[in-house]
Amino acid sequence: MPQFDLPLPELRRYAPRIAEPPDLDAFWASTLGDARSVPPVVSAARVATGLRLVDTWDVTFAGFGGDPVRAWFSRPAGVSGALPAVVEFAGYGRGRGLPHERLIWVAAGYAHLLMDNRGQGDLFGSGGDTPDPHAGGLQPVTRGIRSPHDYHYRRLITDAVRAVDAVRALPGVDPARVAALGNSQGGGLALAVAGLVPDLAALLATAPFLCHFERAVALTDAPPYGEIAQYLAVHRDAGDHVWRTLSYVDGVHLARRARAPGHFGAGLRDTVCPPSTVFAAYNAYGGADRTMHTYPFNGHEGGDAVHVRRQLDWLRSKLSP
């Protein structure tokens, strides 16, 4: 795929005005206030993984509506004291998988919490363990899309915020040094967390989904954005409701409220999360300390392992383990 979006100099200046709901802050304050009416951690049980250098717990925490959400919590074995923590969010259609699949951040010396995606896990990877009792059918991006109160991503973003609450309540974690991290959908969730958790210590978002929806749907027919177009092709009268709902979870609006140091990445040939949608969020980002890495000849994979090494170096400079 050749480059199809704006040239890099224009991307660096791209800051579109996107209509923001006047009650956005009240909407999220009410949603998160309800979720936080119960303690975050429900249970944490040590599990055998076959790994000698990593200790892992199967954690259940209270997410949206008090619903039980599963996660893997891991720490370097034999390390005492309170560690900085990385809360990681998985991509679209993925669940938390198996506990030995994501070891980079534990190997780097961090405590690590990997959140399960409610109602997902059936498209890629090794599955998930968290149902979404509030909705079924359709693809995640279109579940409840006619109303911001019924929308799947209201629940999933709330779960993501509660994952930060949960890791801060677990033993062996320094609650003042917690970072949110993810790629694609995970990057969009991490970005939302940065906007909704004012004392987050750091954000790492690569090719974030959930940003500048109308432009994304206009530029690509690849899923997940293409699934919104498919929905509107059938539900031809739903456009106003759909765009209004999406405005409550748009990463551009939530990025504007973020204050944590931010590390971003984008492939300039990415047809899944087009680069202009990523830059729309990056250029709106409220934190003064932010950096962007671009990969001109890469798509949704972005910088891959090269980018991860850059993340490792950057995060160590912010939250030394």
Side-chain angles (χ1 to χ4, degrees):
M1 168 61 68
Q3 289 188 13
F4 67 99
D5 208 336
L6 300 173
L8 184 56
E10 293 183 34
L11 289 172
R12 295 194 186 282
R13 299 189 299 269
Y14 186 63
R17 293 188 177 184
I18 304 172
E20 181 179 299
D23 63 339
L24 181 67
D25 291 321
F27 173 86
W28 281 111
S30 173
T31 298
L32 297 178
D34 290 345
R36 285 173 165 153
S37 64
V38 297
V41 178
V42 176
S43 65
R46 182 79 175 269
V47 295
T49 63
L51 302 175
R52 297 178 58 189
L53 303 181
V54 176
D55 294 332
T56 299
W57 289 259
D58 186 349
V59 169
T60 301
F61 67 89
F64 175 87
D67 299 335
V69 179
R70 306 286 291 277
W72 297 123
F73 176 65
S74 299
R75 282 176 50 94
V79 177
S80 60
L83 295 176
V86 172
V87 180
E88 184 173 1
F89 306 105
Y92 188 75
R94 291 185 181 274
R96 66 174 180 166
L98 300 173
H100 60 265
E101 290 186 77
R102 303 193 185 212
L103 300 175
I104 287 174
W105 299 101
V106 181
Y110 299 92
H112 178 250
L113 186 92
L114 176 64
M115 186 188 86
D116 207 12
N117 287 324
R118 66 164 61 218
Q120 299 190 30
D122 296 324
L123 295 180
F124 307 103
S126 303
D129 302 293
T130 303
D132 185 356
H134 302 274
L138 301 177
Q139 297 293 353
V141 75
T142 54
R143 290 177 193 160
I145 199 170
R146 286 178 179 253
S147 166
H149 291 277
D150 297 334
Y151 193 36
H152 176 75
Y153 282 96
R154 179 192 183 209
R155 299 188 291 278
L156 197 58
I157 289 171
T158 301
D159 292 348
V161 170
R162 291 292 279 163
V164 173
D165 294 346
V167 82
R168 284 175 161 169
L170 290 170
V173 169
D174 180 352
R177 294 188 293 164
V178 175
L181 172 142
N183 301 329
S184 195
Q185 176 185 262
L189 293 175
L191 184 60
V193 166
L196 294 170
V197 179
D199 59 347
L200 190 73
L203 161 73
L204 301 98
T206 308
F209 175 48
L210 306 173
C211 297
H212 199 357
F213 284 97
E214 290 198 49
R215 180 168 177 84
V217 173
L219 284 180
T220 181
D221 58 3
Y225 288 120
E227 292 164 3
I228 299 172
Q230 283 183 312
Y231 180 89
L232 290 171
V234 175
H235 303 279
R236 296 171 177 84
D237 62 343
D240 289 344
H241 298 290
V242 166
W243 301 125
R244 177 176 178 270
T245 293
L246 295 174
S247 69
Y248 283 86
V249 302
D250 197 311
V252 176
H253 303 323
L254 297 175
R256 194 171 291 118
R257 290 158 169 78
R259 295 296 178 266
H263 186 280
F264 291 75
L268 299 189
R269 299 174 185 238
D270 187 348
T271 59
V272 177
C273 295
S276 59
T277 68
V278 176
F279 270 91
Y282 174 76
N283 290 332
Y285 194 73
D289 181 355
R290 59 177 185 166
T291 185
M292 168 70 83
H293 294 281
T294 58
Y295 302 93
F297 299 98
N298 291 95
H300 198 51
E301 80 283 4
D304 209 357
V306 170
H307 188 67
V308 172
R309 177 54 194 270
R310 289 171 171 167
Q311 289 180 317
L312 286 163
D313 292 342
W314 181 85
L315 189 59
R316 184 172 294 274
S317 73
K318 306 300 176 184
L319 309 179
S320 181

